[in-house]
Amino acid sequence: MRAFCLAIAWLLAEASLAQSLDRAPNFIVILADDLGIGDIGVYGATSQKTPRLDRMAAEGLRFTDFYVSSPVCSPSRAALLTGCYPVRVGITGVVPYRSKIGIHSDETLLPEMLKNRGYRTALFGKWHLGDHESFSPLRHGFDEFFGTPASNDMGPDMDLEVRRQGKAGIGLREGDETIELHPDQSLLTRRYTERAVRFIESNRDRPFFLYLAYNMPHTPIFASDRFRSRSSGGLYGDVLEEIDDSVGQVLDAVKRVGIDERTLAVFTSDNGPWLIFGDHGGSPGRLRGGKKQTFDGGVRVPAIIRWPGVIAAGRVSSKIVTVFDLLPTFARLADAPLPQRAIDGIDLTRLLRGEANPSLSRRPFFYYWNNELRAVRSGRWKLQFPHVDHQAPDPAAIGFGGKRGKVTDVEHSLALYDVEQDPGESKNVAAEHPSVVGRLERLADQARSELGDSLTGAAGAGLRPAGRI
Ligand code: MG
């Protein structure tokens, strides 16, 4: 009888979802680069003002425990677009410029999945899954690409003299063509936003997927004239206030063209703040560590989802949610088949609707640095495995004014943290909770057998190669 009632409840819930979706929603993913969880007002920032992001959170759902899959750019983006841990798809570290490695053509990426369902798709901003033409966004489901194929500190012109002049050597592409060398980086945020607004206006009558991946606030940081010297957070604060204003422009455009209630918009960051840059890096808030580290400050980022009419306003979720959950969620909402190959994400549609989702409560999260499984989280507990952190900021040599600081090696032993009570990961309570340690060890063993672990030598049965030219 209970099973029958559950089945009826499930059918009713499905019917109500179908009703709320008389057509598939548009998806907008706005991704900032190296923005920390402490950089936004609603997450506790005080040195810059982010009224539009704060309003987005007030109108939607804000996550406190949203994880990206890696504390660096390329793997994090690979996870967003494949629905997988990046180690599964072979993108384990930053993809350098002119790399022979990039995203594999056999992977089905989010834009490809949606394009097959009739979506118009665009990427404005940073790609970073390989700059060679065979890895191009246009070959992976994007109809349009305007932006940088890699970070804003790497590009086709790596001439030392050019770099001495303070230019990062980057090239701006339209599709597969480099249309500008050394573009004025202070205009990048504005130019991407203008393209995004135009894209929304011209696709108001058909479903679309807009991936707006700002280069900022990844160093070197720049703000346009209108925002420079405006915030009380220095140049970094100015950069964030410009991003905030841009998010507002995008959401205003959605409203203006009358598609507010059929547009799901996400704002998040690809990894935590780059702490060695000091005043040109962001803030991890109460968390420990930042970019290139597997403390939570490196991988726990701000995340807000807004979808008026479906997501109730002002909600806050502390569920463990990941960036690679977006792909199966969008698949479900767009009624698109999932990729043929295994994925790691979990469909979040029940959570978005405010319903219980037991599989989310049970899910572990694995902290990978390249192929090293450095920690696992389950519920409130995080078990860190012995490893050497080669990227710990050297407190005696933190950068300033755009100058990079230094890193140092720090050895870490086995430690258990209660990240609910102790978000700064300061108190090792492993000795008090041996059964928790044992349970998390067993979870880690599952990850090792599926995804591998170079710390223990585990090979991983579910790994797929990156693409190669
Ligand atoms: Mg990044």
Side-chain angles (χ1 to χ4, degrees):
M1 186 63 185
R2 188 168 176 273
F4 177 74
C5 290
L6 282 173
I8 294 292
W10 182 82
L11 282 172
L12 288 174
E14 293 304 294
S16 89
L17 177 67
Q19 224 168 31
S20 68
L21 295 174
D22 52 345
R23 53 173 283 181
N26 307 306
F27 301 109
I28 299 176
V29 175
I30 306 176
L31 190 70
D33 196 350
D34 295 4
L35 181 144
I37 198 165
D39 286 337
I40 295 175
V42 69
Y43 283 92
T46 51
S47 51
Q48 58 269 343
K49 294 190 171 55
T50 56
R52 295 309 307 260
L53 285 163
D54 299 349
R55 198 210 292 183
M56 185 179 176
E59 292 171 346
L61 171 59
R62 177 169 73 88
F63 293 93
T64 60
D65 293 59
F66 184 97
Y67 286 91
V68 288
S69 53
S70 165
V72 288
C73 304
S74 303
S76 177
R77 286 152 203 267
L80 160 68
L81 295 176
T82 61
C84 297
Y85 278 99
V87 64
R88 187 187 284 287
V89 296
I91 306 287
T92 56
V94 169
V95 177
Y97 210 81
R98 299 211 172 105
S99 171
K100 294 193 182 313
I101 287 177
I103 193 74
H104 199 287
S105 57
D106 286 353
E107 298 295 342
T108 304
L109 267 55
L110 183 50
E112 195 176 347
M113 182 187 87
L114 294 172
K115 189 178 162 73
N116 290 339
R117 293 292 296 159
Y119 278 64
R120 182 87 188 159
T121 56
L123 162 58
F124 303 128
K126 170 172 164 177
W127 169 241
H128 215 177
L129 294 176
D131 63 279
H132 189 270
E133 206 178 305
S134 61
F135 307 128
S136 160
L138 302 188
R139 295 200 181 188
H140 287 278
F142 282 110
D143 296 312
E144 294 179 48
F145 168 48
F146 171 67
T148 62
S151 288
N152 65 328
D153 60 351
M154 52 171 78
D157 192 346
M158 301 306 275
D159 184 87
L160 267 184
E161 185 48 41
V162 169
R163 295 173 80 75
R164 269 191 212 108
Q165 292 165 21
K167 292 175 178 170
I170 67 167
L172 202 54
R173 283 191 193 172
E174 179 75 60
D176 286 335
E177 228 163 284
T178 300
I179 54 166
E180 286 174 46
L181 263 183
H182 313 300
D184 181 348
Q185 290 215 39
S186 71
L187 300 179
L188 286 183
T189 298
R190 189 207 293 175
R191 291 175 75 181
Y192 296 153
T193 305
E194 286 168 357
R195 284 291 291 263
V197 168
R198 284 214 303 278
F199 178 81
I200 291 165
E201 287 169 347
S202 55
N203 290 288
R204 62 198 296 174
D205 296 322
R206 57 178 300 179
F208 64 78
F209 169 52
L210 167 61
Y211 178 30
L212 179 54
Y214 291 113
N215 288 106
M216 299 293 127
H218 183 295
T219 64
I221 53 173
F222 299 88
S224 66
D225 284 348
R226 200 180 127 216
F227 291 89
R228 215 170 297 142
S229 307
R230 195 176 94 156
S231 83
S232 52
L235 179 58
Y236 188 85
D238 299 341
V239 168
L240 283 210
E241 291 197 2
E242 183 158 23
I243 289 176
D244 180 74
D245 184 81
S246 302
V247 171
Q249 289 182 50
V250 169
L251 295 179
D252 286 347
V254 167
K255 205 166 205 166
R256 192 167 60 244
V257 302
I259 54 173
D260 213 23
E261 298 210 337
R262 46 171 216 263
T263 301
L264 181 161
V266 183
F267 177 86
T268 189
S269 174
D270 69 335
N271 53 255
W274 210 347
L275 301 176
I276 56 166
F277 279 94
D279 64 327
H280 279 210
S283 161
R286 298 182 305 155
L287 306 180
R288 180 176 177 182
K291 176 170 175 167
K292 303 195 180 190
Q293 294 183 286
T294 45
F295 290 111
D296 269 28
V299 286
R300 205 158 129 191
V301 294
I304 302 166
I305 305 187
R306 179 186 182 275
W307 188 7
V310 177
I311 297 177
R315 281 175 59 207
V316 178
S317 171
S318 58
K319 290 273 182 253
I320 298 174
V321 166
T322 76
V323 75
F324 47 86
D325 296 334
L326 294 179
L327 182 140
T329 306
F330 292 3
R332 172 88 176 81
L333 294 170
D335 199 19
L338 284 172
Q340 297 276 314
R341 305 170 129 204
I343 64 164
D344 299 297
I346 293 178
D347 171 12
L348 301 177
T349 49
R350 290 168 72 143
L351 179 130
L352 299 185
R353 285 181 280 169
E355 296 162 11
N357 186 341
S359 53
L360 268 183
S361 306
R362 283 193 303 268
R363 75 115 52 107
F365 175 74
F366 303 110
Y367 299 71
Y368 272 92
W369 169 256
N370 292 319
N371 299 79
E372 294 180 5
L373 177 62
R374 287 190 173 174
V376 54
R377 180 175 171 189
S378 172
R380 67 195 306 164
W381 304 108
K382 176 176 177 179
L383 183 65
Q384 170 193 271
F385 301 112
H387 69 273
V388 180
D389 177 2
H390 298 290
Q391 297 288 340
D394 180 348
I398 297 296
F400 183 77
K403 194 167 178 293
R404 182 188 291 251
K406 293 197 171 117
V407 293
T408 184
D409 287 357
V410 175
E411 205 165 319
H412 293 287
S413 50
L414 188 88
L416 180 72
Y417 298 112
D418 177 349
V419 287
E420 271 180 27
Q421 293 295 316
D422 175 26
E425 298 172 68
S426 62
K427 192 169 174 241
N428 178 5
V429 293
E432 286 111 294
H433 301 280
S435 64
V436 175
V437 172
R439 184 169 68 80
L440 267 63
E441 288 273 16
R442 287 191 292 280
L443 287 172
D445 282 340
Q446 290 172 20
R448 290 180 183 118
S449 63
E450 179 68 11
L451 300 173
D453 174 18
S454 57
L455 287 173
T456 60
L463 301 184
R464 311 195 286 258
R468 260 177 198 283
I469 52 169

